[in-house]
Amino acid sequence: MVSNIYSNLRKQVSGLIIVRASGHSSDSLRQFPQWELCNKSLKALLEEGVGGVILFGGSITELQHRCKTLQDWAKNPLLLCADVEECVGQRFKGGTWLVPPMALGNLYKKKPSLAVELAKQYGQCTGRQARNCGLNWVLGPVCDINNNPKNPVINLRAWGEEEATVSTLICAFHRGVTKENLLTCAKHFPGHGDTSIDSHLDLPILKHNLSQL
């Protein structure tokens, strides 16, 4: 009985985990082997029930084949995602790479209706290309407000410098992506826009009170 409880718990926890992998099918083509699992390890984890994979690198054609292979290895439907905030070409060769979101934030100040429509098209383009490549989860939009001039990592990735601009444009982006039947991801909580440290390199700390958060 204890064994069954452990086994069920292990499966439930496994389903909550997203692992990193290369968009290339061959182990030898991995750009970051210290962070990207080899195929043998990846296959074993997916067979055990790991819930998803975040992919980096390769071409859009490779990504199509890679996503199919990963799903074939898994027992359950996978979450297949990538950081394609600015469309698929941001991470994978051959895809479209759109202008940074801040460009639409600047347009919103002068032509809000046009900016909202373009943000929706931006999302739909991203969703369509991601779906065609085999992905089902877009890790975007960035919902941070670019309100700290010392921020080294958000800046142009943000849709604006004011709450109203950001909330309006990210909702339009979300509508565009979901029109293609993909998931989105509102990142980053509690707000990477007001940090002065790159979280890829160190741990930023926001010294705000609860009401500010």
Side-chain angles (χ1 to χ4, degrees):
M1 182 175 178
V2 172
S3 176
N4 288 338
I5 293 174
Y6 172 77
S7 177
N8 289 334
L9 180 61
R10 185 177 178 87
K11 289 178 181 178
Q12 290 173 8
V13 173
S14 295
L16 299 174
I17 295 174
I18 306 289
V19 295
R20 174 168 174 165
S22 171
H24 296 287
S25 296
S26 172
D27 285 341
S28 63
L29 294 176
R30 287 178 296 165
Q31 294 173 293
F32 303 99
Q34 69 273 35
W35 297 328
E36 296 165 353
L37 294 169
C38 67
N39 284 327
K40 181 179 180 181
S41 298
L42 186 58
K43 186 173 186 288
L45 287 176
L46 294 179
E47 289 175 343
E48 191 168 338
V50 161
V53 181
I54 179 173
L55 293 141
F56 292 84
S59 69
I60 55 174
T61 303
E62 288 177 298
L63 185 60
Q64 289 175 328
H65 295 295
R66 183 67 156 162
C67 287
K68 184 180 184 305
T69 298
L70 295 175
Q71 187 57 74
D72 288 343
W73 287 347
K75 294 180 178 180
N76 302 309
L78 287 176
L79 286 171
L80 295 165
C81 59
D83 280 309
V84 288
E85 303 161 9
E86 298 172 14
C87 206
V88 171
Q90 182 180 7
R91 297 293 180 192
F92 306 99
K93 294 178 181 178
T96 299
W97 194 344
L98 299 171
V99 298
M102 185 66 76
L104 294 184
N106 288 334
L107 179 63
Y108 184 81
K109 298 173 185 177
K110 300 176 181 179
K111 299 180 179 180
S113 296
L114 177 59
V116 170
E117 177 57 30
L118 289 176
K120 181 182 177 182
Q121 291 182 26
Y122 194 118
Q124 190 166 1
C125 176
T126 301
R128 183 185 306 113
Q129 290 198 16
R131 176 171 50 78
N132 288 341
C133 290
L135 301 173
N136 53 29
W137 189 14
V138 170
L139 298 183
V142 168
C143 299
D144 301 293
I145 300 163
N146 188 44
N147 57 359
N148 187 337
K150 294 182 180 180
N151 192 300
V153 66
I154 297 300
N155 45 69
L156 296 178
R157 297 167 65 194
W159 293 81
E161 297 163 345
E162 300 169 349
E163 293 99 327
T165 301
V166 172
S167 62
T168 300
L169 294 177
I170 63 173
C171 286
F173 174 91
H174 170 76
R175 290 194 297 272
V177 175
T178 55
K179 195 169 184 180
E180 296 295 328
N181 295 317
L182 266 74
L183 297 170
T184 59
C185 174
K187 60 185 186 185
H188 309 83
F189 182 83
H192 207 338
D194 193 19
T195 60
S196 56
I197 294 174
D198 185 343
S199 59
H200 300 92
L201 305 176
D202 205 347
L203 178 64
I205 296 175
L206 290 170
K207 296 181 179 180
H208 293 332
N209 59 39
L210 187 60
S211 64
Q212 285 174 299
L213 290 177

